[in-house]
């Protein structure tokens, strides 16, 4: 019976949770912040430096085949290395790359008051004046131009991968993750 349950869980694609675990000095929050095919993001609080929040992206290799594990490992290393030379307030900064039992984890700086653009627009999009809308588009275009000028391309750019910092102020700041 136990083998049948394990087989059902495997066939359902259920991944082990990393909630409640630590990674270095960071304690992961219980629920994923975001997730996609082969990765999960968690917010994490620093154990000692209270108030310091990081975003942890796990590249999930624990369920991948041996061939896929190498590809995923290289993808995590490539993302971390590419972001090391990028210093722009509109691009999330990667601070560390850590091996974890579920796969490599890239640690990013994170503003705890930020809101994903898709959520922010659904709440406040109707209230934005045309000048504010144009300002956001210009800011995003400048961030993308900077990234492209350094041969950095975001292959899945969407409102889900953009954070709005200072969401309650008259002038917001965007950060591409």
């Amino acid at each position: 019976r136990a083998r049948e349950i394990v087989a059902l869980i495997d066939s359902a694609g259920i991944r082990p949770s990393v909630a409640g675990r630590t990674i270095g000095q960071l304690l992961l929050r219980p629920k994923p912040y975001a997730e996609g095919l082969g990765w999960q993001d968690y917010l994490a609080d620093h154990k000692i430096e209270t108030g310091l929040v990081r975003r942890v992206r796990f590249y999930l290799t624990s369920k991948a085949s041996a061939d896929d594990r190498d590809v995923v490992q290289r993808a995590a290393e490539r993302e971390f290395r590419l972001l090391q030379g990028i210093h722009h307030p509109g691009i999330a900064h990667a601070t560390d790359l850590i091996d974890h039992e579920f796969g490599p984890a890239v640690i990013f700086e994170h503003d705890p008051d930020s809101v994903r653009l898709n959520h922010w627009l659904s709440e406040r999009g109707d209230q934005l004046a045309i000048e504010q809308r144009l300002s956001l588009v210009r800011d995003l275009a400048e961030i993308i131009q900077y990234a492209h000028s350094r041969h950095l391309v975001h292959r899945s750019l969407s409102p889900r991968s953009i954070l709005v910092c200072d969401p309650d102020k008259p002038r917001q700041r965007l950060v591409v993750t």
Side-chain angles (χ1 to χ4, degrees), residues 47-169:
K47 291 180 186 177
I48 298 168
E49 185 64 39
T50 58
L52 182 66
V53 177
R54 294 288 187 238
R55 181 173 54 89
V56 181
R57 167 151 298 171
F58 287 98
Y59 286 82
L60 303 172
T61 59
S62 60
K63 294 286 186 176
S65 68
D67 292 339
D68 289 342
R69 280 188 202 118
D70 291 340
V71 171
V72 172
Q73 179 74 36
R74 285 194 308 272
E77 291 169 1
R78 183 174 49 252
E79 178 174 16
F80 180 72
R81 268 191 257 106
L82 284 172
L83 289 173
Q84 291 311 289
I86 304 297
H87 301 287
H88 188 282
I91 299 174
H93 178 68
T95 61
D96 206 355
L97 175 65
I98 299 174
D99 282 327
H100 188 271
E101 64 184 283
F102 295 136
V106 179
I107 313 297
F108 290 91
E109 291 179 349
H110 183 78
D111 177 355
D113 296 326
S114 64
V115 178
R116 284 191 351 213
L117 180 61
N118 58 323
H119 293 172
W120 189 77
L121 287 174
S122 69
E123 292 174 9
R124 303 172 192 192
D126 296 341
Q127 303 163 6
L128 295 176
I130 190 70
E131 296 82 19
Q132 290 172 299
R133 293 170 191 251
L134 289 172
S135 177
L136 290 171
V137 170
R138 273 192 300 272
D139 291 349
L140 182 58
E142 189 276 324
I143 293 166
I144 300 305
Q145 187 278 328
Y146 176 89
H148 288 182
S149 73
R150 279 140 184 90
H151 308 289
L152 184 65
V153 178
H154 195 299
R155 297 186 314 161
S156 58
L157 185 63
S158 73
R160 290 185 64 206
S161 59
I162 300 168
L163 297 176
V164 178
C165 297
D166 305 320
D168 297 322
K169 292 186 178 176

